[in-house]
């Protein structure tokens, strides 16, 4: 109950800010949250279920298939994306029986009480250099897809995999988006699979990394969805006022170059850290609140990208809690919207007011404006993505 009370006090203030400017119901429908557990101080899953229900969160993404979490959310109506770790890909690729056993053990027992709607097979597999794992990804996905069908769950559960934006070799201008040549042999058949199964292509995108890499040449307003001059794609004449949308459209362009216009793009991770090391420019509470708040406002408006204006963006925010045991720089442990005790890390600023004195020179045609995040995207799985829009119901 303590978690719910603290969350509710935060919600009251935020709700008053939002009622006059955004459609909170739309926000709830489009935002999801990553629920990571790389920490030693997180509340019990039953408490988390209560917290998210009090926030009207209805979409959650896990990095595993934790039975305690799935049981805790039974009969709540929350939709779950669950995951198969990279370490399991090669065994499943070569043994369809192993895939069926996994689905039998980690999916079937929890349906229909817990709404499992998607299984992600592997996370950012193409970000490493393990070609054996890369070659195993699609066969493992096909094995899981077959198992889901054989068990009569095909109408309920889709199969996909999450990728870092560094699968793109070119991302500016967005219309010139292209996948890396060294990955083409893996991505082309992967896209064919998505087209055949009507499943989404999942991307983990973090504009924060572009700003962190070059704060002097990347506009902070541009990456935070705040007022800025924007950039224009010379090939399509489409205008972009934020990096995330440009990255999404670059993925669409890359898929089109491989013959696919029939696959949707879903942002499986995005977020901004509230704290970082001295060399992590932009990792502040103020910027985290601005990024997540402004993004929530865009999603609540059912806004699409310039290339796909009629296709509302589907986003899972990273993350629900700060995770104190994550390795790497300080920012890795500070993406949460909440501390483990249920208190908010910051109050989300839903306005898109300009911020003066915080932006570097705006160079829209710098390659880093669109591709730094791709090159520097995290290669480790990030645990939790929050249904931000639901925070305001």
């Amino acid at each position: 109950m303590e978690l719910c009370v603290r969350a509710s006090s935060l919600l009251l203030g935020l709700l008053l800010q939002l009622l006059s400017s955004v459609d909170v119901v739309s926000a709830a429908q489009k935002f999801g949250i990553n629920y990571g557990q790389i920490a030693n101080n997180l509340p019990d899953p039953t408490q988390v279920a209560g917290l998210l229900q009090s926030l009207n969160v209805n979409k959650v993404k896990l990095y595993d298939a934790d039975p305690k979490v799935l049981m805790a959310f039974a009969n709540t109506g929350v939709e779950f994306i669950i995951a198969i770790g990279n370490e399991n890909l090669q065994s499943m690729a070569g043994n369809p029986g192993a895939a069926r056993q996994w689905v039998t053990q980690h999916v079937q027992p929890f349906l229909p009480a817990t709404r499992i709607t998607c299984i992600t097979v592997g996370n950012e597999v193409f970000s490493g250099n393990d070609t054996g794992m890369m070659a195993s990804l699609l066969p493992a996905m096909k094995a899981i897809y077959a198992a889901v069908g054989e068990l009569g769950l095909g109408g309920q559960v889709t199969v996909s995999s999450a990728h870092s934006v560094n699968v793109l070799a070119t991302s500016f201008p967005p219309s010139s988006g292209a996948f890396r040549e060294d990955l083409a042999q893996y991505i082309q058949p992967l896209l064919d699979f998505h087209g055949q199964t009507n499943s989404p292509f999942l991307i983990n995108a973090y504009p924060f990394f572009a700003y962190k890499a070059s704060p002097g040449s990347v506009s902070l307003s541009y990456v935070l969805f705040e007022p800025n001059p924007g950039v224009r794609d010379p090939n399509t004449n489409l205008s972009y006022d934020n990096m995330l949308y440009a990255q999404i459209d670059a993925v669409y362009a890359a898929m089109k170059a491989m013959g696919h216009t029939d696959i949707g793009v879903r942002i499986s991770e995005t977020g901004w850290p509230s704290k970082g090391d001295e060399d992590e420019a932009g990792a502040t509470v103020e910027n985290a609140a601005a990024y997540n708040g402004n993004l929530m406002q865009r999603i609540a408006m059912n806004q699409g990208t310039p290339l796909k204006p009629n296709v509302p963006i589907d986003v899972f925010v990273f993350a629900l809690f700060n995770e104190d045991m994550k390795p790497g720089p300080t920012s890795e442990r500070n993406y949460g919207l909440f501390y483990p005790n249920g208190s908010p890390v910051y109050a989300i600023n839903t306005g898109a007011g300009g911020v003066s004195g915080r932006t570097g020179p705006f160079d829209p045609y710098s390659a880093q404006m669109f591709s730094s995040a791709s090159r520097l995207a995290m290669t480790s799985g990030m645990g939790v993505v929050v249904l931000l829009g639901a925070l305001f119901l």
Side-chain angles (χ1 to χ4, degrees), residues 126 137 141 159-165 167-168 179 186-188 190-192 194-195 198-204 248 251-252 254-255 262-268 314:
F126 298 136
L137 176 59
M141 291 174 68
V159 177
S160 190
S161 184
H163 311 282
S164 165
V165 289
V167 296
L168 295 176
F179 292 112
Y186 306 114
I187 292 181
Q188 180 67 71
L190 181 67
L191 295 179
D192 295 341
H194 284 300
N198 193 31
S199 54
F201 190 79
L202 306 183
I203 285 288
N204 300 338
I248 294 172
V251 175
Y252 275 120
M255 294 194 298
D262 55 343
I263 302 169
V265 174
R266 193 176 196 182
I267 299 300
S268 45
D314 195 340

Short mmCIF file of all heavy atoms in Angstrom, two decimals, residues 126 137 141 159-165 167-168 179 186-188 190-192 194-195 198-204 248 251-252 254-255 262-268 314:
data_model
loop_
_atom_site.label_atom_id
_atom_site.label_comp_id
_atom_site.label_asym_id
_atom_site.label_seq_id
_atom_site.Cartn_x
_atom_site.Cartn_y
_atom_site.Cartn_z
N PHE A 126 22.65 -8.32 -32.55
CA PHE A 126 23.52 -7.83 -33.61
C PHE A 126 24.48 -6.74 -33.13
O PHE A 126 25.28 -6.21 -33.92
CB PHE A 126 22.69 -7.29 -34.77
CG PHE A 126 21.82 -8.33 -35.42
CD1 PHE A 126 20.50 -8.05 -35.75
CD2 PHE A 126 22.30 -9.61 -35.69
CE1 PHE A 126 19.70 -9.01 -36.35
CE2 PHE A 126 21.50 -10.57 -36.27
CZ PHE A 126 20.19 -10.26 -36.61
N LEU A 137 19.76 -16.58 -34.24
CA LEU A 137 18.60 -15.77 -33.84
C LEU A 137 17.34 -16.15 -34.60
O LEU A 137 16.31 -16.49 -33.98
CB LEU A 137 18.90 -14.28 -34.03
CG LEU A 137 17.72 -13.35 -33.72
CD1 LEU A 137 17.24 -13.52 -32.28
CD2 LEU A 137 18.10 -11.90 -34.00
N MET A 141 13.88 -17.93 -33.29
CA MET A 141 12.59 -17.26 -33.39
C MET A 141 11.57 -18.15 -34.09
O MET A 141 10.41 -18.26 -33.67
CB MET A 141 12.74 -15.93 -34.13
CG MET A 141 13.53 -14.89 -33.36
SD MET A 141 13.85 -13.38 -34.34
CE MET A 141 12.20 -12.72 -34.50
N VAL A 159 5.88 -13.23 -31.90
CA VAL A 159 7.31 -13.49 -31.64
C VAL A 159 8.15 -12.42 -32.33
O VAL A 159 7.95 -12.14 -33.52
CB VAL A 159 7.70 -14.89 -32.15
CG1 VAL A 159 9.20 -15.12 -31.95
CG2 VAL A 159 6.90 -15.96 -31.43
N SER A 160 9.08 -11.84 -31.59
CA SER A 160 9.94 -10.80 -32.17
C SER A 160 11.30 -10.84 -31.48
O SER A 160 11.63 -11.79 -30.76
CB SER A 160 9.29 -9.41 -32.01
OG SER A 160 9.99 -8.43 -32.74
N SER A 161 12.11 -9.80 -31.70
CA SER A 161 13.41 -9.65 -31.06
C SER A 161 13.72 -8.16 -31.02
O SER A 161 13.28 -7.41 -31.90
CB SER A 161 14.50 -10.40 -31.83
OG SER A 161 15.74 -10.32 -31.15
N ALA A 162 14.45 -7.72 -30.01
CA ALA A 162 14.76 -6.29 -29.87
C ALA A 162 16.18 -6.01 -30.35
O ALA A 162 17.11 -6.77 -30.08
CB ALA A 162 14.61 -5.86 -28.42
N HIS A 163 16.34 -4.87 -31.06
CA HIS A 163 17.63 -4.51 -31.65
C HIS A 163 18.01 -3.08 -31.27
O HIS A 163 17.16 -2.20 -31.18
CB HIS A 163 17.56 -4.62 -33.17
CG HIS A 163 17.00 -5.91 -33.66
ND1 HIS A 163 17.72 -7.08 -33.70
CD2 HIS A 163 15.75 -6.23 -34.11
CE1 HIS A 163 16.96 -8.05 -34.17
NE2 HIS A 163 15.76 -7.57 -34.41
N SER A 164 19.29 -2.85 -31.11
CA SER A 164 19.79 -1.50 -30.93
C SER A 164 19.73 -0.76 -32.25
O SER A 164 19.80 -1.37 -33.33
CB SER A 164 21.24 -1.55 -30.44
OG SER A 164 21.85 -0.28 -30.57
N VAL A 165 19.65 0.57 -32.20
CA VAL A 165 19.66 1.35 -33.44
C VAL A 165 21.01 1.27 -34.14
O VAL A 165 21.14 1.73 -35.27
CB VAL A 165 19.28 2.82 -33.21
CG1 VAL A 165 17.83 2.97 -32.87
CG2 VAL A 165 20.16 3.44 -32.14
N VAL A 167 22.09 -1.13 -35.53
CA VAL A 167 21.96 -1.99 -36.72
C VAL A 167 21.92 -1.14 -37.99
O VAL A 167 22.07 -1.66 -39.09
CB VAL A 167 20.70 -2.88 -36.65
CG1 VAL A 167 20.80 -3.86 -35.49
CG2 VAL A 167 19.43 -2.04 -36.57
N LEU A 168 21.73 0.17 -37.82
CA LEU A 168 21.72 1.07 -38.96
C LEU A 168 23.13 1.55 -39.28
O LEU A 168 23.88 1.96 -38.40
CB LEU A 168 20.84 2.29 -38.68
CG LEU A 168 19.34 2.05 -38.48
CD1 LEU A 168 18.64 3.35 -38.11
CD2 LEU A 168 18.73 1.45 -39.74
N PHE A 179 20.47 -0.51 -43.30
CA PHE A 179 21.10 -1.41 -42.34
C PHE A 179 22.57 -1.62 -42.70
O PHE A 179 22.98 -1.46 -43.85
CB PHE A 179 20.38 -2.77 -42.34
CG PHE A 179 18.99 -2.72 -41.78
CD1 PHE A 179 17.88 -2.91 -42.60
CD2 PHE A 179 18.77 -2.47 -40.43
CE1 PHE A 179 16.59 -2.87 -42.10
CE2 PHE A 179 17.49 -2.42 -39.90
CZ PHE A 179 16.39 -2.61 -40.74
N TYR A 186 21.69 -11.44 -42.21
CA TYR A 186 20.84 -11.85 -41.10
C TYR A 186 19.50 -11.08 -41.10
O TYR A 186 18.45 -11.65 -40.79
CB TYR A 186 21.54 -11.59 -39.76
CG TYR A 186 22.91 -12.20 -39.65
CD1 TYR A 186 24.05 -11.40 -39.56
CD2 TYR A 186 23.08 -13.59 -39.64
CE1 TYR A 186 25.31 -11.96 -39.46
CE2 TYR A 186 24.34 -14.15 -39.53
CZ TYR A 186 25.46 -13.33 -39.45
OH TYR A 186 26.72 -13.89 -39.35
N ILE A 187 19.57 -9.80 -41.43
CA ILE A 187 18.38 -8.95 -41.31
C ILE A 187 17.38 -9.20 -42.43
O ILE A 187 16.16 -9.17 -42.20
CB ILE A 187 18.79 -7.47 -41.24
CG1 ILE A 187 19.51 -7.20 -39.92
CG2 ILE A 187 17.57 -6.56 -41.37
CD1 ILE A 187 19.95 -5.77 -39.71
N GLN A 188 17.85 -9.47 -43.65
CA GLN A 188 16.91 -9.69 -44.74
C GLN A 188 15.94 -10.85 -44.44
O GLN A 188 14.71 -10.67 -44.51
CB GLN A 188 17.65 -9.96 -46.04
CG GLN A 188 16.73 -10.19 -47.26
CD GLN A 188 15.95 -8.95 -47.64
OE1 GLN A 188 16.52 -8.00 -48.16
NE2 GLN A 188 14.63 -8.95 -47.40
N LEU A 190 15.27 -12.05 -41.57
CA LEU A 190 14.53 -11.68 -40.36
C LEU A 190 13.32 -10.82 -40.71
O LEU A 190 12.22 -11.03 -40.19
CB LEU A 190 15.46 -10.93 -39.40
CG LEU A 190 14.86 -10.49 -38.06
CD1 LEU A 190 14.53 -11.71 -37.20
CD2 LEU A 190 15.82 -9.57 -37.32
N LEU A 191 13.52 -9.87 -41.61
CA LEU A 191 12.41 -9.03 -42.06
C LEU A 191 11.36 -9.86 -42.79
O LEU A 191 10.15 -9.63 -42.64
CB LEU A 191 12.91 -7.91 -42.96
CG LEU A 191 13.83 -6.86 -42.30
CD1 LEU A 191 14.26 -5.83 -43.33
CD2 LEU A 191 13.12 -6.18 -41.13
N ASP A 192 11.81 -10.83 -43.57
CA ASP A 192 10.86 -11.71 -44.26
C ASP A 192 9.98 -12.43 -43.24
O ASP A 192 8.77 -12.58 -43.44
CB ASP A 192 11.60 -12.73 -45.13
CG ASP A 192 12.36 -12.07 -46.28
OD1 ASP A 192 12.04 -10.91 -46.64
OD2 ASP A 192 13.28 -12.71 -46.82
N HIS A 194 9.22 -11.36 -40.18
CA HIS A 194 8.27 -10.40 -39.60
C HIS A 194 7.11 -10.14 -40.56
O HIS A 194 5.95 -10.03 -40.13
CB HIS A 194 8.98 -9.09 -39.28
CG HIS A 194 9.83 -9.13 -38.04
ND1 HIS A 194 9.32 -9.40 -36.80
CD2 HIS A 194 11.16 -8.93 -37.86
CE1 HIS A 194 10.29 -9.37 -35.89
NE2 HIS A 194 11.42 -9.09 -36.52
N GLY A 195 7.42 -10.03 -41.84
CA GLY A 195 6.37 -9.81 -42.81
C GLY A 195 5.39 -10.97 -42.88
O GLY A 195 4.18 -10.77 -42.98
N ASN A 198 3.43 -11.10 -39.41
CA ASN A 198 2.77 -9.85 -38.99
C ASN A 198 3.19 -9.43 -37.58
O ASN A 198 2.38 -9.04 -36.75
CB ASN A 198 1.25 -10.00 -39.06
CG ASN A 198 0.53 -8.67 -38.96
OD1 ASN A 198 1.05 -7.64 -39.40
ND2 ASN A 198 -0.66 -8.67 -38.38
N SER A 199 4.48 -9.51 -37.33
CA SER A 199 5.03 -9.14 -36.03
C SER A 199 5.87 -7.87 -36.17
O SER A 199 6.43 -7.60 -37.23
CB SER A 199 5.88 -10.28 -35.45
OG SER A 199 6.87 -10.69 -36.37
N PRO A 200 5.99 -7.08 -35.11
CA PRO A 200 6.71 -5.80 -35.20
C PRO A 200 8.22 -5.96 -35.13
O PRO A 200 8.76 -6.93 -34.59
CB PRO A 200 6.19 -5.04 -33.98
CG PRO A 200 5.92 -6.12 -32.98
CD PRO A 200 5.38 -7.28 -33.78
N PHE A 201 8.92 -4.96 -35.68
CA PHE A 201 10.37 -4.86 -35.58
C PHE A 201 10.65 -3.95 -34.40
O PHE A 201 10.22 -2.79 -34.37
CB PHE A 201 10.94 -4.27 -36.87
CG PHE A 201 12.44 -4.34 -36.98
CD1 PHE A 201 13.07 -5.53 -37.35
CD2 PHE A 201 13.23 -3.23 -36.71
CE1 PHE A 201 14.45 -5.60 -37.46
CE2 PHE A 201 14.62 -3.30 -36.82
CZ PHE A 201 15.23 -4.49 -37.20
N LEU A 202 11.34 -4.47 -33.40
CA LEU A 202 11.56 -3.74 -32.15
C LEU A 202 12.93 -3.06 -32.13
O LEU A 202 13.94 -3.68 -32.44
CB LEU A 202 11.45 -4.69 -30.96
CG LEU A 202 10.16 -5.52 -30.86
CD1 LEU A 202 10.18 -6.37 -29.59
CD2 LEU A 202 8.93 -4.63 -30.88
N ILE A 203 12.92 -1.79 -31.73
CA ILE A 203 14.15 -1.00 -31.70
C ILE A 203 14.33 -0.36 -30.32
O ILE A 203 13.39 0.19 -29.74
CB ILE A 203 14.11 0.11 -32.77
CG1 ILE A 203 14.34 -0.48 -34.15
CG2 ILE A 203 15.16 1.18 -32.50
CD1 ILE A 203 15.77 -0.93 -34.40
N ASN A 204 15.56 -0.44 -29.79
CA ASN A 204 15.94 0.26 -28.57
C ASN A 204 16.67 1.54 -28.99
O ASN A 204 17.75 1.46 -29.59
CB ASN A 204 16.86 -0.60 -27.71
CG ASN A 204 16.20 -1.91 -27.28
OD1 ASN A 204 14.99 -2.03 -27.26
ND2 ASN A 204 17.02 -2.89 -26.92
N ILE A 248 13.21 6.54 -35.97
CA ILE A 248 12.14 5.61 -36.34
C ILE A 248 11.96 5.59 -37.86
O ILE A 248 11.88 4.52 -38.48
CB ILE A 248 10.82 5.99 -35.65
CG1 ILE A 248 10.93 5.80 -34.14
CG2 ILE A 248 9.66 5.15 -36.21
CD1 ILE A 248 9.74 6.34 -33.36
N VAL A 251 14.58 3.71 -39.72
CA VAL A 251 14.37 2.26 -39.70
C VAL A 251 13.35 1.87 -40.77
O VAL A 251 13.54 0.88 -41.49
CB VAL A 251 13.91 1.79 -38.30
CG1 VAL A 251 13.57 0.29 -38.32
CG2 VAL A 251 15.00 2.05 -37.26
N TYR A 252 12.29 2.64 -40.88
CA TYR A 252 11.31 2.37 -41.94
C TYR A 252 11.97 2.42 -43.32
O TYR A 252 11.70 1.57 -44.19
CB TYR A 252 10.17 3.37 -41.88
CG TYR A 252 9.07 3.03 -40.91
CD1 TYR A 252 8.75 3.89 -39.86
CD2 TYR A 252 8.32 1.87 -41.06
CE1 TYR A 252 7.72 3.59 -38.96
CE2 TYR A 252 7.30 1.55 -40.17
CZ TYR A 252 7.01 2.41 -39.13
OH TYR A 252 5.99 2.11 -38.25
N ALA A 254 15.13 1.91 -44.01
CA ALA A 254 16.05 0.77 -44.15
C ALA A 254 15.28 -0.50 -44.49
O ALA A 254 15.73 -1.31 -45.30
CB ALA A 254 16.84 0.59 -42.85
N MET A 255 14.11 -0.68 -43.89
CA MET A 255 13.30 -1.85 -44.21
C MET A 255 12.76 -1.77 -45.64
O MET A 255 12.73 -2.78 -46.36
CB MET A 255 12.15 -1.99 -43.21
CG MET A 255 12.60 -2.31 -41.79
SD MET A 255 11.26 -2.88 -40.69
CE MET A 255 10.20 -1.44 -40.70
N ASP A 262 5.68 -3.55 -45.06
CA ASP A 262 4.57 -4.22 -44.38
C ASP A 262 4.85 -4.53 -42.91
O ASP A 262 4.15 -5.32 -42.29
CB ASP A 262 4.25 -5.53 -45.11
CG ASP A 262 5.48 -6.44 -45.25
OD1 ASP A 262 6.61 -5.95 -45.10
OD2 ASP A 262 5.29 -7.64 -45.54
N ILE A 263 5.88 -3.90 -42.35
CA ILE A 263 6.28 -4.21 -40.98
C ILE A 263 6.23 -2.94 -40.13
O ILE A 263 6.74 -1.90 -40.53
CB ILE A 263 7.71 -4.79 -40.94
CG1 ILE A 263 7.79 -6.05 -41.81
CG2 ILE A 263 8.13 -5.11 -39.50
CD1 ILE A 263 9.21 -6.53 -42.04
N GLY A 264 5.63 -3.04 -38.95
CA GLY A 264 5.59 -1.90 -38.05
C GLY A 264 6.84 -1.80 -37.20
O GLY A 264 7.50 -2.81 -36.92
N VAL A 265 7.18 -0.59 -36.79
CA VAL A 265 8.32 -0.34 -35.91
C VAL A 265 7.80 0.03 -34.53
O VAL A 265 6.93 0.89 -34.38
CB VAL A 265 9.21 0.80 -36.45
CG1 VAL A 265 10.32 1.13 -35.45
CG2 VAL A 265 9.81 0.43 -37.80
N ARG A 266 8.33 -0.63 -33.54
CA ARG A 266 7.93 -0.39 -32.16
C ARG A 266 9.18 -0.06 -31.34
O ARG A 266 10.20 -0.74 -31.46
CB ARG A 266 7.27 -1.65 -31.61
CG ARG A 266 6.52 -1.50 -30.30
CD ARG A 266 5.84 -2.82 -29.94
NE ARG A 266 4.83 -2.67 -28.92
CZ ARG A 266 4.12 -3.66 -28.40
NH1 ARG A 266 4.34 -4.90 -28.83
NH2 ARG A 266 3.22 -3.44 -27.48
N ILE A 267 9.10 0.98 -30.54
CA ILE A 267 10.24 1.35 -29.69
C ILE A 267 10.16 0.54 -28.40
O ILE A 267 9.34 0.82 -27.52
CB ILE A 267 10.24 2.86 -29.39
CG1 ILE A 267 10.35 3.66 -30.67
CG2 ILE A 267 11.41 3.20 -28.45
CD1 ILE A 267 11.62 3.39 -31.47
N SER A 268 11.00 -0.46 -28.30
CA SER A 268 10.96 -1.36 -27.14
C SER A 268 11.72 -0.80 -25.94
O SER A 268 11.51 -1.25 -24.81
CB SER A 268 11.53 -2.73 -27.51
OG SER A 268 12.72 -2.61 -28.26
N ASP A 314 4.34 3.60 -30.88
CA ASP A 314 4.20 2.63 -29.79
C ASP A 314 5.53 2.57 -29.05
O ASP A 314 6.55 2.15 -29.61
CB ASP A 314 3.84 1.26 -30.38
CG ASP A 314 3.33 0.29 -29.33
OD1 ASP A 314 3.61 0.52 -28.13
OD2 ASP A 314 2.70 -0.70 -29.70
#
